[in-house]
Amino acid sequence: GLPPPPGGGYPSWEQPEAPLWRMQLGDHLAGPAPMAAPWPEPQEGRAAPKSKKKRSGRPAAPMAPEVPRARTSLMLRNLPDGFTRSALLRLLDSRGFRGRYDFAYLPVDFDTLEGLRHAFVNCLTVQDAEALHEELEGFSDWEPVCGAPCGTACSVAWNERQQGLAALVERYRNSPVMHESVPAECKPIIVVGGRPAQFPPPTQKIKAPKILRCRAA
């Protein structure tokens, strides 16, 4: 197996040991900020004025190319069968990324509580994300992480739905996956300084996943 990282072994991922989430992540995650309308709203009782376009006879100027936004959130695909969140964290740490990511989540099938063979990771910087993308694209040396060889090759893509820690927190803080009936191993985790931290609390009542509700009934 690979030698443990500097500082002595891999951290325990069972219980959060870092300070409170508000101190670590900032007040901008305490609740969703109100979004301003991207266009002026028409006054009540009046129709919005229509813009008048003048035809100049000249060809329209070419649009400026879209500037790519900074991306730190990745999606890992084609993970081995039976892969868990703990295995995901061991993989990231063993490849030299301990302390370089702050969010990890491996979705599961709530019927079996087994991983769905894909995961989401957010890195601290764009450079860390690009390095992780390069490191894990085509990765297939699973035995040090899973304890058994596996021929599957990892595929890495950018997370097109949520980018950045704040967006990921808002996506999952009120999700059924955060319900108390869901095992901790199946939930998203926030990592601060290489150690697990408390996930920001929900802003509304969370419902249990449908399958788990049926089992409880």
Side-chain angles (χ1 to χ4, degrees):
L2 295 174
Y10 299 114
S12 170
W13 297 106
E14 296 180 358
Q15 297 294 333
E17 299 182 12
L20 293 178
W21 65 271
R22 188 183 297 274
M23 299 174 60
Q24 299 158 338
L25 305 178
D27 290 337
H28 68 286
L29 292 182
M35 298 183 64
W39 54 82
E41 297 183 0
Q43 297 181 3
E44 185 177 357
R46 286 185 174 182
K50 296 182 179 180
S51 59
K52 297 181 179 179
K53 296 183 180 180
K54 296 182 179 180
R55 296 183 179 180
S56 61
R58 298 179 181 178
M63 296 181 63
E66 183 179 354
V67 179
R69 58 179 177 172
R71 297 181 294 187
T72 58
S73 303
L74 301 162
M75 181 179 184
L76 313 182
R77 298 169 174 164
N78 205 27
L79 301 174
D81 289 328
F83 208 67
T84 63
R85 191 188 73 177
S86 294
L88 172 64
L89 300 177
R90 288 197 301 270
L91 171 66
L92 297 173
D93 292 350
S94 69
R95 307 311 296 182
F97 288 89
R98 183 179 180 184
R100 299 169 67 182
Y101 63 93
D102 53 17
F103 177 94
Y105 175 45
L106 189 137
V108 301
D109 181 346
F110 288 117
D111 191 19
T112 62
L113 296 182
E114 292 185 359
L116 295 178
R117 300 189 62 197
H118 67 270
F120 300 97
V121 178
N122 186 71
C123 294
L124 297 183
T125 68
V126 174
Q127 292 75 20
D128 290 334
E130 292 174 346
L132 182 60
H133 194 300
E134 182 178 356
E135 176 70 20
L136 294 185
E137 177 64 35
F139 178 85
S140 60
D141 186 18
W142 302 107
E143 187 169 3
V145 178
C146 304
C150 178
T152 185
C154 181
S155 173
V156 184
W158 297 106
N159 186 349
E160 299 297 341
R161 293 188 176 183
Q162 289 88 31
Q163 274 294 325
L165 178 60
L168 289 164
V169 166
E170 292 306 317
R171 165 64 181 86
Y172 292 108
R173 69 192 308 179
N174 296 316
S175 169
V177 73
M178 300 304 297
H179 191 266
E180 59 183 7
S181 63
V182 177
E185 177 73 8
C186 303
K187 297 180 178 182
I189 187 173
I190 286 180
V191 183
V192 176
R195 304 187 69 84
Q198 184 178 355
F199 207 91
T203 59
Q204 62 189 44
K205 185 177 180 180
I206 298 178
K207 295 182 179 180
K210 291 182 179 180
I211 294 178
L212 296 183
R213 290 205 303 266
C214 293
R215 288 180 180 177

